[in-house]
Amino acid sequence: MDAIVFDLETTGLTPYVADIIQIGAVYSTAEEPVKATFSVNVMPQVLKVSRDLLTNSDHPWERTLNSKNMRDSVDTVTARAMFESFILEHMGSLYKSVLVGHRVTTFDLRFLKGDTESDHVKWMTPNYLDTRSMATLLHHVGRGPKNTGSSFLFRHYNAEPPEELRHTALGDAVATAHVFQAQLKELA
């Protein structure tokens, strides 16, 4: 199944008090889980950093915020437009596309929608699949693990990104693409 698998990195967990700082995506097919990639660093609108980030100097998000790549970051409106262009290039339509992520409905889509509302831009309502929900379904039919956390699923499906790419949007999107294609095979 062709899909766009994506991940966001943010400065916190709540869309209205935190910002997107990275968008990573993968064009994934059954034959090639990682057929094409997309990654953009996003300059936080207002650096509303969570308490965790301020008190934990080893937090993975700090690597992103302090990385030299932030010099090449774009604003959120431009980042979303670039992401939509990637979707169109590989899927042909924003509204017929399938977006895949881990906790996509409870996290990533809320951030994309929240950012568009603050920018007064309408975000598309995509078709989506959630690897966490798929893992729960697979467990209930006796074909998958009980633990549905992303780190556990990455290990279970032998899809762990290298440490330097873990908790980067692109690194986690690549790993999630491998998990997603493996889950589809288990569901077949």
Side-chain angles (χ1 to χ4, degrees):
M1 172 181 190
D2 291 4
I4 298 294
V5 182
F6 79 104
D7 186 60
L8 304 178
E9 292 301 322
T10 65
T11 59
L13 301 176
T14 306
Y16 298 101
V17 296
D19 289 320
I20 296 170
I21 56 174
Q22 276 188 338
I23 302 173
V26 171
Y27 172 50
S28 183
T29 69
E31 300 79 32
E32 228 177 314
V34 180
K35 192 163 186 158
T37 62
F38 166 82
S39 180
V40 64
N41 290 311
V42 183
M43 181 55 69
Q45 293 175 28
V46 177
L47 195 55
K48 302 174 273 191
V49 182
S50 71
R51 226 178 319 188
D52 277 349
L53 185 57
L54 291 172
T55 59
N56 182 357
S57 62
D58 293 330
H59 200 288
W61 294 326
E62 187 174 86
R63 287 190 306 224
T64 302
L65 285 171
N66 290 333
S67 78
K68 61 183 174 159
N69 293 333
M70 288 311 287
R71 286 190 295 251
D72 300 324
S73 63
V74 299
D75 62 87
T76 56
V77 173
T78 302
R80 273 196 314 278
M82 293 167 67
F83 181 39
E84 288 179 1
S85 292
F86 178 79
I87 296 168
L88 281 171
E89 177 184 348
H90 297 287
M91 300 296 287
S93 166
L94 295 174
Y95 298 99
K96 294 180 182 176
S97 301
V98 176
L99 299 185
V100 177
H102 189 80
R103 293 186 57 212
V104 70
T105 58
T106 59
F107 189 78
D108 301 280
L109 292 177
R110 286 179 51 223
F111 264 91
L112 288 171
K113 184 175 187 269
D115 266 1
T116 57
E117 286 176 359
S118 67
D119 294 331
H120 307 289
V121 175
K122 186 173 180 181
W123 171 250
M124 64 176 175
T125 304
N127 300 303
Y128 58 84
L129 290 171
D130 189 320
T131 57
R132 185 177 191 187
S133 297
M134 291 173 68
T136 300
L137 172 67
L138 284 164
H139 172 70
H140 286 296
V141 297
R143 294 187 187 171
K146 182 176 183 177
N147 189 325
T148 61
S150 61
S151 294
F152 183 83
L153 292 176
F154 293 165
R155 281 190 305 277
H156 178 78
Y157 291 105
N158 197 27
E160 287 182 282
E163 185 56 36
E164 66 274 9
L165 293 178
R166 183 69 171 109
H167 295 295
T168 66
L170 183 57
D172 288 354
V174 167
T176 302
H178 287 285
V179 168
F180 172 65
Q181 293 298 342
Q183 287 176 323
L184 287 178
K185 288 176 185 168
E186 288 183 346
L187 287 169

